[in-house]
Amino acid sequence: MSETRKPKTSHYAAYIGVLLLGGLSGIAGTLVHRLGATQVFPYGIIIAFLLLTSSAYWARSVVGAIGIGLHIIGSSSALWLLMGKGPGGDVLIPVWSPAFTTFVDQHAGIIWLCGSLLVQVCLLILPSRWLGLDK
């Protein structure tokens, strides 16, 4: 007897969706990561990490290890593209400037770049049962 199989296009659509989700979460996190950096409580970097962590967790829960790998590729590509200089010489992820006054203000860009990769790799290597993904 022949079995009915799901079309493979659903897998490809999920892969493309997770890749785009990674890029969008990287862009959104970049736009908010410096909020509050000059104040006592840097709430922007916390919001950025929560956004990235939740989308990476969703990618792993839906598509698995391949999904979070694609999420890492999408978000890292977006981050490294946004780190470059724009047409007017402005950057969205500044790494250092003499105008920065606090520690978080000076290091927010590096914390965001390195921390975003670290959070996603941690979600990739953690066992599924620790994340509640066993079914």
Side-chain angles (χ1 to χ4, degrees):
M1 292 187 188
S2 64
E3 296 179 13
T4 57
R5 295 185 182 182
K6 294 181 181 178
K8 298 250 181 189
T9 55
S10 66
H11 294 293
Y12 295 127
Y15 294 156
I16 291 170
V18 167
L19 186 68
L20 291 175
L21 177 67
L24 288 175
S25 64
I27 291 170
T30 298
L31 294 177
V32 300
H33 84 279
R34 294 201 44 85
L35 295 176
T38 58
Q39 300 165 357
V40 176
F41 185 68
Y43 59 91
I45 197 104
I46 295 168
I47 292 170
F49 279 130
L50 286 174
L51 175 69
L52 188 75
T53 303
S54 63
S55 67
Y57 177 80
W58 183 83
R60 178 160 180 197
S61 66
V62 171
V63 186
I66 293 172
I68 199 163
L70 291 170
H71 191 276
I72 291 171
I73 291 171
S75 64
S76 297
S77 299
L79 289 174
W80 288 101
L81 284 173
L82 292 173
M83 194 175 84
K85 288 185 178 181
D90 294 336
V91 293
L92 289 176
I93 306 175
V95 176
W96 187 85
S97 171
F100 296 153
T101 56
T102 64
F103 176 82
V104 176
D105 195 19
Q106 291 174 353
H107 298 91
I110 294 294
I111 293 169
W112 174 234
L113 286 172
C114 297
S116 64
L117 185 60
L118 182 68
V119 164
Q120 294 177 89
V121 169
C122 286
L123 279 174
L124 177 63
I125 63 173
L126 284 175
S128 295
R129 67 178 184 270
W130 289 9
L131 299 172
L133 299 177
D134 282 341
K135 296 180 181 175

